[in-house]
Amino acid sequence: MIFDTSILIYAARGYEAAKSIILNTPERAISAVTYMEFVPFCRNKQELKHFEKMLENQQFKIYEIDPQISINARSYTKQFALSHSVEMGDALIAATAVRYGETLCTTNLKHFKPISGIELQQFSVE
């Protein structure tokens, strides 16, 4: 399962449900985009170090952006930016999930629903 950035932020903020879904998922992954979106969320180098240690300890796979992901993300942006507010980061994360046949766990289904071939799992903090 690929986790969207929001899930990692909720986990870092101490939401038990977010921590639980991460810990109870046997194979964890993120897009390189999620890594890049999360780093500015860190308030200092110690928090960044803690984030990287968590990725290592929980054996997260980080999928890099390859040409196919880029091509698909560009297509998703063209098709859905105006109608569904799909931005660059979401398009790249979605393209990564489709490329690797992974379920995407996210709090924001709106940006991902119109994309064909993507399997979604909604996460709610409530």
Side-chain angles (χ1 to χ4, degrees):
M1 178 177 302
I2 292 181
F3 290 94
D4 195 7
T5 311
S6 59
I7 311 301
L8 299 181
I9 291 172
Y10 280 118
R13 288 183 179 164
Y15 286 83
E16 290 303 319
K19 290 179 184 179
S20 179
I21 195 166
I22 290 170
L23 293 174
N24 291 315
T25 299
E27 294 187 23
R28 304 165 194 93
I30 60 171
S31 165
V33 174
T34 296
Y35 179 95
M36 292 182 278
E37 286 180 341
F38 188 90
V39 169
F41 169 79
C42 297
R43 292 176 286 205
N44 54 49
K45 289 184 180 185
Q46 183 177 356
E47 285 190 0
L48 174 58
K49 188 174 182 177
H50 179 75
F51 171 61
E52 289 183 327
K53 191 74 167 168
M54 183 275 301
L55 292 175
E56 180 183 331
N57 288 343
Q58 297 304 318
Q59 299 176 330
F60 271 83
K61 180 173 188 141
I62 300 175
Y63 290 116
E64 300 300 338
I65 300 166
D66 65 18
Q68 190 60 53
I69 291 170
S70 178
I71 290 165
N72 288 348
R74 200 168 62 240
S75 174
Y76 299 156
T77 303
K78 181 179 178 182
Q79 291 176 64
F80 305 117
L82 300 177
S83 61
H84 292 83
S85 303
V86 174
E87 296 179 357
M88 178 185 63
D90 290 335
L92 286 163
I93 291 167
T96 302
V98 170
R99 166 84 165 83
Y100 290 100
E102 296 263 12
T103 299
L104 174 62
C105 183
T106 182
T107 58
N108 191 351
L109 294 180
K110 177 187 173 190
H111 294 168
F112 300 104
K113 269 190 170 182
I115 297 169
S116 64
I118 192 167
E119 185 176 333
L120 299 170
Q121 178 173 331
Q122 183 171 16
F123 173 79
S124 176
V125 293
E126 298 173 8

